[in-house]
Amino acid sequence: MISIEGVNQFYGSTQTLWDLDLEVAEGSITCIMGRNGVGKTTLLKCLMGLLPIKSGSLRVGDTDFARLPAVARPRSGVAYVPQGRDVFPLLTVEENLRIGLGSRRDKIREIPQQVFELFPVLNDMLSRRGGDLSGGQQQQLAIGRALVLDPQVLILDEPNEGIQPNIVRQIGDVVLKLNKEQGLTVILVEQKLAFARRVGQEFRLMEKGRVVASGNMDLLSDELVNRHLAV
Amino acid sequence: MNKLPIHYFLSLVIAVFGVVYSQQSAAESSTPNPSVTLAELSEPLVGANLRKMPALVERLELEAGTTALPVLEALLAGELYYQRSDKRLVRAVSQTEGGFQISDVFSTDALGSVAKKQIRKVKLNNALRVQLRAAIGRLTLLSDDPKLRLTAIENMLKKPDQANLELLQQARAQETDSDIVDLLNEALALNLLIAATDRQPRLQALRELEGSLQPAVRNALQALVALDADAQPLEQDIVVFTSASRLLDKIDGKLGFYAFLETLFFGLSLGSVLLLIATGLAITFGVMGVINMAHGELIMLGAYTTYVVQLLMPNHIEYSLLVAVPAAFLVSGLVGILIERSVIRFLHGRPLETLLATFGVSLILQQAVRSIFSPLNRQVATPEWMSGSLEINSIFSLTYNRLYVFLFALLVFVLLQLILKRTTLGLNVRAVSQNRSMAKAMGVKTDWVDAMTFGLGSGVAGLAGVALSQLTNVGPNLGQAYIIDSFMVVVFGGVGNLWGTLVAGLSLGVFTKFLEPATGAVMAKILVLVFIVLFIQKRPRGLFPQQGRAAE
Amino acid sequence: MTAVGAIGSDYAALPGVADRAKELRQGARVFLFILFAITTLAAVGNLLFEPDSVFHVSTYTITLLGKYLCYGLLALAVDVVWGYCGILSLGHGAFFALGGYAMGMYLMRQIGDRGVYGNPELPDFMVFLDWEELPWYWLGFDQFWLALIMVALVPGLLAFGFGYLAFRSRVVGVYLSIMTQALTFALMLAFFLNELGFGGNNGLTDFKEILGYDLQKDSTRVALLMLSALALGAGYTVSLWIMQSKLGRIIRAVRDDETRTRFIGFRTEHYKIWLFVYSAVLAGIAGALYVPQVGIINPGEFSPLNSIEAVVWVAVGGRGTLYGAVLGAVLVNYAKTRFTAVWPEAWLFALGALFVGVTVFLPDGIVGWVKARWLQVKGQAS
Amino acid sequence: MSLSEDFRQSMPRDQLWPFLIEKQPPAVDASKNILLYVEGLSVSFDGFKALNDLNLYINDGELRCLIGANGAGKTTLMDVITGKTRADSGQVWFGQTLDLFDRDEAEIAALGIGRKFQKPSVFEAQTVFTNLELAMKVNKSIFYGLLSRLGSAELDRIAHVLETIGLQGQESMLAGALSHGQKQWLEIGMLLIADPRLMLVDEPVAGMTPQETERTAELLTSLAGERTVVVVEHDMEFVRSIARTVTVLHQGAVLAEGSMQEVQNNPEVIEVYLGEGH
Amino acid sequence: ADTIKVGVLHSLSGTMAISETTLKDTVLMMIEDQNKKGGLLGKKLEPVVVDPASNWPLFAEKTRELLSQEEVDVIFGCWTSVSRKSVLPVIEELNGLLFYPVQYEGEESSKNVFYTGAAPNQQAIPAVDYLMNELDVKRWVLAGTDYVYPRTTNKVLEAYLKAKGVADKDIMINYTPFGHSDWQSIVADVKKFGSEGKKTAVVSTINGDANVPFYKELGNQGISAEDIPVVAFSVGEEELSGIDTKPLVGHLAAWNYFQSVESDENDEFIAKWKKYIKDDKRVTNDPMEATYIGFNMWVAAVEKAGTTDVDAVEQAMIGITTPNLTGGTAVMNRNHHLSKPVLIGEIQADGQFEVVSETMGVVPGDAWSDYLPGSKDIVADWVTPIRCGNFNAKTAKCSGQNM
Ligand SMILES: Nc1ncnc2c1ncn2[C@@H]1O[C@H](COP(=O)(O)OP(=O)(O)OP(=O)(O)O)[C@@H](O)[C@H]1O
Ligand SMILES: Nc1ncnc2c1ncn2[C@@H]1O[C@H](COP(=O)(O)OP(=O)(O)OP(=O)(O)O)[C@@H](O)[C@H]1O
Ligand SMILES: NC(N)=O
Ligand SMILES: [Mg+2]
Ligand SMILES: [Mg+2]
């Protein structure tokens, strides 16, 4: 479903992604892992068009993402939950959720009830400004906001950062459920092994801007973890 | 109220006094002298020098009576000319395409058009106009047209003159229209008050003048209560003196009240101008965060659009503003979009630099206007319905242009609120300004939103320009004159809050106008600025601040 | 201009700290060398060479240069607060003008009885408007030392008062900018008032001499130019020293995240007030040097547009680089001088386009662009 | 007395003029072994009670973990302690004698209360080195800033901290160019170098790899004793590895307090926070 | 040099461009005309135009540039007094020659400047006389923009009115800032002041852009010229071309020239102007006439002196006469000011003025007002033996000259 080939990316004159290749199968949950600063976030931003790439190809389904302007990418069914949440601080929770409505392909202009079922706290705080929420609440809002887009592909960058344990579980359940019931393809950047193992089906290990190991989650051995994730 | 008996009594008293005081005027009363024709009477007007004119006009009034009206009116209107060739008096009206349309003054027969060289104007000046208006007033006091009568009486009321007394009485006897009767009574009572020496009639007159706000009445009363050098009343009759001063107090109380209303209106109207010029900026600067130094020039473009619209429809000035409003919105809006697409969009994330670039843009726009329209101010006509004022009473009136601008400002504000609240544009633009890349990642067409929003803000600036064209100069400096004020209003109200802009604009206007009488215009402005600076210390984010964790 | 000591905000990795300090020192030397080389050459050219010599530098050029250097110092003052501390002052012209007025008052008093009404006490405009005696705030301005103190004290005090109120109340960002604008606007209106005793719209003019030296003599002009260069050089050196010290890093920290700075224990408002006052004093000195060279000070100098222009010079030159600010001031004003003579009818197009062009195409100003080019060339060379 | 005598007296060689003597922050009195008192603290935003009559006591030298649901008020509590947010009622004392409500952020920081923010906040436009230099515990007056040069002891300390946070070799990088996790480390480094008496650490291991988490745990444990540390975390494994006393906040008030064991088995805590399976 | 350079120092941008651009065009037209006639002393005239951009220090800089870089032989320029004040030291230092074409407050006479606009005694006093005698005005509002010209004029007028027995309470003085645009309160005050029974008039020294909103407000608040006439000293045809004048008919202005004056010179001038500027609607105004007179006088003086040398031309200027545009003759007096007729005109619906009063003969411009205590003893006389712009007749001393 998603195929990334030979991507090179630079911040100014420093190269962050080096000839990076990555495949994600349709309907899978793929977990991208790697130490701090190896370029996970950078990769996702390139995929979303928030960073320009120097060369390489990005394909999602039949669409050539490298050619598609960033604003059109959500429209083709890719939703993104950024690291650090990036909620709109001065918009209310409701407004934060409504932002994505314009990009829904089914033209429904209502916030789906599902979001509130998953994160009831959002319903309680509809008229509070996004920036006023606690860190964890913001994270929930960011995920909810992505779900409003009714995506086929969901990209999550460390979605559990700062989330209370029972909700972490719940997020895991949600991801699994969406994947199972709606065939949602999920790309998940995650540092916490336990969560990655529970939710992920595939893993990709990154180092210095390249994918250095990949496979089914069962194959993620302690040896691999030690080699690529330990400091 | 026992007004009716008083009326009767008054008429009686006036009748008695009238006889005495109107003797000499009765002698020269306007019975036209049929032996001399109007044409003959008018003939000396040709080529007369200004010093001779008053006597000529007086003769016309006295000897030709109402038949002289066409001549007098033409003269008053500045349309009385004579042909150089045959010294014939004509009425000449200038034509838009040059030259004059002439007609016979007496018969009103059209005589075709002539060049300016062929005719010469009958001299006229201010003093003569005053005389003419009074004369026409006297001649039309008994006219069939109630409007004319009303104007005539109002005129006489402004300048009480014993010579008019008999005329007024005569009119009073014939008058049926109750409004005019009231006014006539007022005029008669005033004359009586000034003329009479006995206590009773004077008290009656005072009673009759109760509630009158005519400046002439107040002046008469003030004369009555004047004190001499030893602070003793000049007026001998102490009863008259006290009731006059009581009445004066009452009138002054009312005057004070109306003065307050008037100041309030002035303040709101200044405030609405501030609101209008700031509303557009509240969007481009307040919401988008562009420090738009070219805002003033976008206002200016709106004003020039009004000018061009009037050039294009010279015969429909009355409707020109209705066309100018959408046109100015479009012109300024499109220029705004152009600015956004060509300059601002390269400056995302560098809000301070927008100041520099838009400053450059403002210089370019100013010079462009100077090159295209010349550096001179352009003349924008005021439609009839925007001129003059709505008279609430004889001392309180609201000027139409200000009134309409006030309403217009509110209308624009409300429409804008609707657009921002009811369409997704309002939501999207806030999202974009808070986190551009995340908005993109949510599929918001940031480019489009930027262009539309900037266009909207600029378009509203254009609307302000239309309004300003009715209040002030339309010239290349127009924008400069308003840019500082508009920033001040937006910031005072709280950046990003449209309601704040509304409250800030109106309250600063009112505040200024209440200060002005005490301090003078300059000091008021300085004080307002100092006030804003101090106020911001108390509320560092304006009247209506953005609150919450993220705003810090 | 090969100095590359800019403290830019680009995220590219920078060479080591020690290297940077050395580079900065080198940059400073280059800047000071160029500054003094130009002024000395101009001075020599003006005083020692006859008008028909090719080496002659006209008095016109001398006064122009002097004026540019004063603007340069003003730009430096703006850059100190804006480029390094993020305080965008749209009212620095006020400090400049106040310094100018203080000097102007001294110069006015020097006229003595050579004014048109020959009044030894009162300046002409006061005689003319029936002032009976000198208002108290004019007293002592016949003393040069007092005027000098006032040149620094008045802008400094105003900056302190304003800063004390604003920074303690945590007025920041555009609110602060617009308040500085309100400040200078209010002062402009006030100085326009004839009742205030500063000459109203006409301001102070018709100066004759300074410290006994005839203001119209070439030697006096050259001396003023040299003084301006000295002041600019000193202002530059001191500012550079500040910005290189830890204080400078704290100031930049305040610019980048004031709240965070507070949480590591800095009273940020003290730093801001201090820097604001320092900058205002620089601006005041610039104004004081400006007035005897241009021969007039009037309320127009308080005009908010003047202050905005000063900010524009800094941006054109390169914000956050001291010499960039100076360069910007000189270049823009030189452009103005040339344009107003060459295309009197259309020069605003050129100036406007310059501003737009620089912002859009040279985000870090001329200096930033030159620096990037230089790095590129160096990169290719190595 | 002669003028010169006066002069000499006003120019003593052996002491500084009073205004040159730096005001030392008042000493903390923790003689009752309690470093921080939080009593009856309430904070509300537009009617919403973020903290509700909260009482909390932190012992001197303790390492305390603070957990609680998202929105329970943990960050708000830190905001109040550090002077960022004003409380509606209640009091916060630092030791026996210092009322924190009288002081602003900078004063509180100078008293020795350091903080790491939930969202990493470092000076992005400055180098890693400068970030540490700025945070270093030194005189924070203007003239000191103007005149001070880094001594070798200070350079050593910076080098030491750089090593601790694993950013050696990257000291001249701009902090803005660091990755998320690296910024977390840098902020911890800034906290270390400030050498505070009380450290408030808000979610230090968010975005860290398991190994880094472990290292952070070690670091924090080693700090306790000499310093007092309050840690907020949602990573239970991490909390378990460092915790001695755990306080659970819920809806702005303390729900439970005790050892990790006790808290973990508290049904209410399980219900509102942990969920099944912990 | 093979040409004679003429500097043109008028703002083409900034706030004053509105007024000054016209004068630049006028000078250029005059130069073109003169060149068609064969130039001057056998040489062509070459204009050097610069833009001092309404910025007073820039005026000084540009003057220096014109004199020392371009080496012009004469400068036509300035509008505001402050610009002239700024230029003055430079002109005197470099011994240049400036023709200043705008009505101003007086109290100045420089060897290097010729003042071809009106002094206060050539505008204000005759206007007030007219109001007093012809319109029987008893109460006076002196309204002006707050700068030196209105301040002086009003001071002169106040002294004059009081000398004529007008009481303090019958004089209202009001100052507003440049570009003042909200006149509601002030006009309302004037209206009240005027409704107290005595004939009232406004003497307006309101400058430039502030006039349009002022007159609009007058019209809208229903104050007609018959109620309270306004006589203005800074409102000419050009200012009126930006206003809808129908509600203003009858208000007055005092100048030394109106476009509507009928004379052959004027007809020719107007025709030439319209042709030059390629706009049939463009108007002429008083400062243009002052420029015209100044230019012609300079040409005559250069011819008389046979050189463009400033000292020679300066002396030659004194006593030069040229026809003015109103059918009379302008004379340059020893104080560097002109003798001019004073005309009072009423605004017409077409934006022109109709002359309603005219002084008998010409009035010589007074550099130092007789109505101000500080200056009544001072005279300007640039003929030997005095040769001084501010000679105190009492102390027989000459003060304040930059030379
Ligand atoms: N804006 C930027 N400018 C320059 N360099 C950057 C920028 N953002 C990130 N980098 C660098 O790019 C590298 C990859 O960063 P990225 O944020 O993609 O890492 P990551 O794998 O997501 O790390 P983490 O797990 O900490 O989130 C890092 O070394 C970082 O220093
Ligand atoms: N300025 C504010 N305006 C409105 N509500 C606020 C504001 N600040 C905090 N809140 C609310 O107060 C509550 C407590 O927030 P706080 O950030 O202290 O939670 P927390 O315990 O730190 O949560 P997390 O673990 O998710 O970081 C939240 O519900 C939040 O929405
Ligand atoms: N001289 C003038 N009108 O300023
Ligand atoms: Mg990341
Ligand atoms: Mg928190």
Side-chain angles (χ1 to χ4, degrees), chain A residues 9 11-12 14-17 34-45 51 83 157-158 161 189 191 206, chain C residues 11-12, chain D residues 170 173-183 207-209 212:
Chain A
Q9 190 272 348
Y11 285 112
T14 35
Q15 188 162 4
T16 311
L17 302 182
R35 275 193 280 269
N36 291 136
V38 296
K40 306 181 292 291
T41 301
T42 304
L43 173 62
L44 300 189
K45 284 193 176 162
L51 284 173
Q83 184 169 28
D157 198 350
E158 308 205 18
E161 228 182 76
V189 169
Q191 307 269 33
M206 278 180 68
Chain C
Y11 281 12
Chain D
Q170 273 155 301
M173 216 165 147
L174 290 182
L178 296 176
S179 77
H180 183 76
Q182 288 168 324
K183 283 181 193 162
M208 287 188 176
T209 57
E212 286 178 315

Side-chain angles (χ1 to χ4, degrees), chain E residues 54-67:
Chain E
S54 311
N55 174 322
W56 320 137
L58 204 54
F59 265 92
E61 179 188 317
K62 289 289 146 194
T63 308
R64 193 176 285 281
E65 182 175 336
L66 286 176
L67 291 176

Side-chain angles (χ1 to χ4, degrees), chain A residues 11 69 109 123 127 153 161 171 190 195 198 219:
Chain A
Y11 285 112
R109 296 293 179 256
N123 207 7
S127 56
V153 180
E161 228 182 76
I171 291 175
E190 183 55 66
F195 188 83
R198 183 167 86 87
L219 301 175

Side-chain angles (χ1 to χ4, degrees), chain E residues 3 51 56 62 84 105-106 126 129 191 248 256 268 298 328 334 341-342 371:
Chain E
T3 60
D51 177 16
W56 320 137
K62 289 289 146 194
R84 190 188 66 251
E105 67 275 6
D129 281 339
K191 192 174 171 183
L248 305 184
N256 311 115
E268 191 193 339
W298 174 72
R334 295 150 76 121
V342 185
Y371 297 95

Side-chain angles (χ1 to χ4, degrees), chain B residues 51 120-121 125-126 129 133 219 262 266 269-270 375-377 379 388 401-402 469 473 477 513 516, chain E residues 14-15 18 21 134 182 184-185 192 195-197 209 212 216 220 225-226 241 243 250 262 346 348 354:
Chain B
R51 295 192 183 280
R120 208 157 219 199
K121 194 170 164 184
N125 70 2
N126 234 311
R129 274 191 206 94
R133 208 171 289 282
N219 292 336
E262 190 181 60
F266 290 165
S269 115
L270 173 61
L376 301 178
N377 284 331
Q379 179 182 333
N401 61 348
R402 298 273 173 181
S469 76
N473 301 287
N477 301 331
K513 282 295 163 188
E516 221 172 73
Chain E
T15 48
I18 273 189
T21 310
E134 302 290 321
D182 193 288
Q184 300 180 88
S185 323
K192 264 175 218 134
S195 72
E196 288 172 18
D209 276 0
V212 172
K216 282 200 173 164
N220 284 323
E226 290 153 42
S241 73
I243 319 181
E262 288 174 12
E346 276 187 6
Q348 303 298 298
E354 184 176 307

Side-chain angles (χ1 to χ4, degrees), chain B residues 305-320:
Chain B
T305 308
T306 316
Y307 165 70
V308 172
V309 165
Q310 292 199 344
L311 276 191
L312 295 180
M313 43 192 291
N315 300 319
H316 302 90
I317 296 299
E318 296 301 302
Y319 308 104
S320 59

Side-chain angles (χ1 to χ4, degrees), chain C residues 344-358:
Chain C
E345 269 106 0
W347 67 280
L348 277 179
F349 286 130
L351 197 71
L354 175 75
F355 294 164
V356 174
V358 167

